[in-house]
Amino acid sequence: MAGTNILHELKVLIQSMHPVVLMQTIEEERVDDLLRAVAAELKLPIFIWTVTRGLQRVDGTGMIHGTADPKTLFRHLSTLTVRGIFHLKDLAAHLGDPATSRAFREAAQAFGRTRSTIILSGENVTLPGELAREAVPLRLQLPGREELKQTMHRTVHALRDQHTFEVTLGPEGMEQVLNALSGLTINQARQALSWAILSDGELSAEDVPKLIRRKGEAIQDEGLLEFYPPEENAFELGGFDRLKAWLARAKMGFGAEARALGLTPPRGVMIVGVQGCGKSLAAKVIAREWQQPLLKLDAARLYDKYIGESEKNLRKVFDVAEALAPSVLWIDEIEKGFASGGDGDGGLSKRLLGSFLTWMQERRAAVFVAATANDLSAVPPEMLRKGRFDETFFVDLPEPSEREEIFRIHLRLRKQDAAAFDVPALAVAADGFSGAEIEQAVIAGLYKALHDKTPLTTATLLDEIGQTAPLSVVRREDIARLRDTARGRFVPVK
Ligand SMILES: Nc1ncnc2c1ncn2[C@@H]1O[C@H](COP(=O)(O)OP(=O)(O)OP(=O)(O)O)[C@@H](O)[C@H]1O
Ligand SMILES: [Mg+2]
């Protein structure tokens, strides 16, 4: 059964005489469950319409002849005197026809009098303008814990009929399975769980990471988000002391003590600054520090025409992030997805910005937004206004001590003993280098050493460094401009 909130919302809509409710979802079964619960509470009959069967009672009796044709359906509905809930499935495709759409409006008006309600469900339902005004949208969020728990029990139960398998998980393990399933639709959760059980004939602790990976794939398949489960997040960030201190403090906001004091969890940070200096890495490290799942939204991809409707996609992104809460939503290159100026795209980017800001303001789930931006001048000023993000950080080129730390991280990541190198000398030589350039120097040095069949040495690295013209030299003016704009307005990360 669906969450209690939505149940309440739908009940109120029906009671307050809304003739048409539009539920955008592919999860038809959940709508069925939800309607059954609401109808039971309100003591109303449910009728279901599909294009194959026409209109019939929910129990399959009393099929009404001829109603498979949408126009006949609506004519029939307009004459009804019985009060009820009418769930019309896959109807949207037929509403483009003017006569059908007219008949629909008349039925809606009649329902205003009889106090019946039409529920329209389906994915990507777009109503013609005049109908859109009659319909109230109701969002079916991704399933909550209670619903997933039931799905889990039902799935295990149903599989028992046909298969033998063992469940070797205690209550705590079951909680972990539940965590692993959150963020999925009921259908996806059912499939993932069945797969986990049937692939090795048991549901055990080993299935938890498998389920998490599977969830990542399911989320990625939608095309917009990348998913990094906390278990796999091992990113290391050198420097950024202030940001790190901020994170340690902000983490308190997720705890019970903070809640008892009426404090709300942190909401987000914006990280702007010089290319290759670890902005993206910082976003990953936030999730790692807090041990939360990380979702990456590539803001530029919101416009990918192969992915489909941008605004609905953005909604979905919010849904997934909320279902995974507490979670970190990392919006990379945020300036590419949301803009306040320019109507070149028919106002789309403006609308996306509006949806984003509204969600930032209203969201109640603990979704922390980590936004990164390269081009400060393209970031809409609304976004930088106080109160949107908890803090805006500016990332500059690393200082000598930070460069040392970055060298050590990247040497270690490539199985080198950092103590065997003169790291301070490397850091001095790499003056003006970004973190990415330091990493590149280490990689290039390793290639050379491999080629020469010698171990990597400080001298080889110094040589590589000497051959690199860092971006900070090549693009000195750009960086100076960025610093000028940022200085004084934002908190440095160190
Ligand atoms: N402070 C740092 N500590 C460790 N590694 C770093 C640091 N800064 C950069 N790097 C290395 O450089 C790579 C590129 O950094 P990252 O992508 O985070 O930079 P960015 O600021 O997001 O750059 P861009 O503006 O190009 O998006 C990282 O994957 C990491 O390997
Ligand atoms: Mg980046």
Side-chain angles (χ1 to χ4, degrees):
M1 216 225 18
T4 45
N5 272 342
I6 183 123
L7 200 141
H8 178 74
E9 263 178 70
L10 182 59
K11 207 167 92 180
V12 172
L13 283 177
I14 293 175
Q15 284 175 316
S16 54
M17 291 181 280
H18 286 77
V20 185
V21 176
L22 171 62
M23 300 188 71
Q24 298 272 10
T25 175
I26 40 165
E27 299 195 86
E28 205 166 70
E29 281 170 62
R30 288 179 71 209
V31 179
D32 286 335
D33 279 357
L34 180 66
L35 290 183
R36 219 166 290 138
V38 172
E41 285 193 25
L42 295 177
K43 301 201 171 42
L44 287 174
I46 309 178
F47 298 85
I48 295 182
W49 180 87
T50 60
V51 71
T52 45
R53 301 208 170 146
L55 190 67
Q56 58 184 183
R57 268 184 179 266
V58 72
D59 55 12
T61 63
M63 201 189 290
I64 299 153
H65 186 70
T67 49
D69 171 56
K71 277 195 290 293
T72 323
L73 164 75
F74 289 124
R75 252 179 263 130
H76 177 76
L77 293 182
S78 305
T79 60
L80 284 182
T81 46
V82 50
R83 188 174 175 216
I85 298 173
F86 296 80
H87 182 191
L88 314 186
K89 300 180 177 180
D90 359 279
L91 181 83
H94 305 276
L95 292 175
D97 168 47
T100 308
S101 143
R102 182 69 234 167
F104 183 107
R105 287 187 72 185
E106 282 164 9
Q109 279 156 15
F111 275 24
R113 293 189 294 271
T114 56
R115 305 173 58 210
S116 287
T117 303
I118 292 173
I119 310 287
L120 283 179
S121 72
E123 203 194 12
N124 296 328
V125 178
T126 6
L127 296 178
E130 66 276 13
L131 292 185
R133 275 189 295 277
E134 312 262 1
V136 213
L138 181 63
R139 248 177 85 217
L140 190 59
Q141 273 154 333
L142 283 167
R145 286 187 83 78
E146 229 6 82
E147 233 180 320
L148 282 172
K149 204 172 189 166
Q150 288 197 23
T151 305
M152 193 163 84
H153 290 307
R154 282 190 205 168
T155 308
V156 171
H157 207 75
L159 287 176
R160 283 242 187 272
D161 286 345
Q162 307 200 9
H163 307 271
T164 33
F165 57 87
E166 265 189 79
V167 177
T168 59
L169 284 173
E172 208 171 295
M174 286 310 233
E175 280 297 300
Q176 286 177 331
V177 169
L178 211 57
N179 282 341
L181 294 176
S182 67
L184 294 177
T185 63
I186 292 284
N187 236 335
Q188 287 171 328
R190 201 183 291 141
Q191 284 167 355
L193 193 63
S194 308
W195 165 82
I197 292 175
L198 297 181
S199 58
D200 57 356
E202 61 174 1
L203 183 61
S204 64
E206 278 171 34
D207 286 317
V208 174
K210 283 200 237 164
L211 284 171
I212 291 173
R213 205 151 315 123
R214 181 113 182 186
K215 168 163 72 182
E217 286 160 13
I219 291 175
Q220 247 135 273
D221 280 346
E222 313 247 303
L224 261 186
L225 285 170
E226 239 174 276
F227 175 66
Y228 303 76
E231 299 76 9
E232 288 175 14
N233 188 339
F235 295 102
E236 273 186 87
L237 177 69
F240 284 70
D241 291 345
R242 274 210 210 184
L243 177 73
K244 286 176 184 167
W246 187 90
L247 293 178
R249 209 170 343 116
K251 187 182 183 178
M252 306 310 297
F254 294 106
E257 283 167 284
R259 214 172 315 131
L261 293 174
L263 296 172
T264 48
R267 303 173 64 76
V269 288
M270 167 87 87
I271 305 170
V272 294
V274 182
Q275 241 180 45
C277 285
K279 295 184 296 294
S280 299
L281 194 56
K284 296 177 194 159
V285 165
I286 293 174
R288 200 211 59 198
E289 290 283 307
W290 293 345
Q291 280 300 299
Q292 290 180 5
L294 172 69
L295 286 165
K296 175 188 176 189
L297 167 68
D298 204 334
R301 297 205 67 195
L302 278 171
Y303 297 91
D304 191 331
K305 62 175 183 301
Y306 297 107
I307 298 184
E309 294 167 76
S310 316
E311 287 160 287
K312 278 185 194 153
N313 284 331
L314 188 61
R315 260 280 44 114
K316 263 194 220 162
V317 166
F318 297 152
D319 279 353
V320 173
E322 286 182 7
L324 286 174
S327 62
V328 176
L329 176 63
W330 162 29
I331 308 183
D332 202 26
E333 310 206 320
I334 195 164
E335 73 275 27
K336 298 210 174 131
F338 308 97
S340 50
D343 286 311
D345 54 4
L348 176 60
S349 49
K350 216 185 237 176
R351 290 200 302 280
L352 289 175
L353 175 66
S355 308
F356 175 71
L357 293 177
T358 311
W359 176 76
M360 283 283 281
Q361 211 76 47
E362 291 174 357
R363 99 199 103 117
R364 259 174 266 136
V367 178
F368 184 86
V369 177
T372 53
N374 291 341
D375 182 1
L376 192 53
S377 65
V379 176
E382 297 89 317
M383 213 171 255
L384 295 173
R385 208 168 287 153
K386 263 249 138 358
R388 300 278 193 219
F389 289 94
D390 296 323
E391 204 68 86
T392 301
F393 288 99
F394 175 63
V395 186
D396 208 335
L397 289 167
E399 292 173 3
S401 65
E402 293 174 301
R403 293 200 294 271
E404 287 187 25
E405 213 182 318
I406 299 173
F407 267 112
R408 288 200 181 91
I409 289 174
H410 288 287
L411 284 167
R412 217 168 34 231
L413 280 175
R414 289 170 187 87
K415 317 267 179 292
Q416 304 297 305
D417 174 13
F421 294 82
D422 186 352
V423 174
L426 292 172
V428 170
D431 183 30
F433 275 48
S434 68
E437 286 161 340
I438 292 176
E439 181 183 19
Q440 271 316 309
V442 172
I443 291 174
L446 269 169
Y447 268 100
K448 176 146 201 321
L450 269 180
H451 181 257
D452 297 348
K453 298 195 170 39
T454 56
L456 179 65
T457 61
T458 302
T460 316
L461 285 173
L462 286 173
D463 209 36
E464 283 304 329
I465 294 167
Q467 287 177 32
T468 309
L471 215 59
S472 65
V473 173
V474 184
R475 298 195 23 207
R476 191 186 303 277
E477 278 131 41
D478 289 349
I479 293 176
R481 201 167 338 111
L482 184 60
R483 272 188 196 142
D484 274 351
T485 340
R487 197 171 290 142
R489 283 177 71 191
F490 306 139
V491 184
V493 290
K494 55 212 181 198

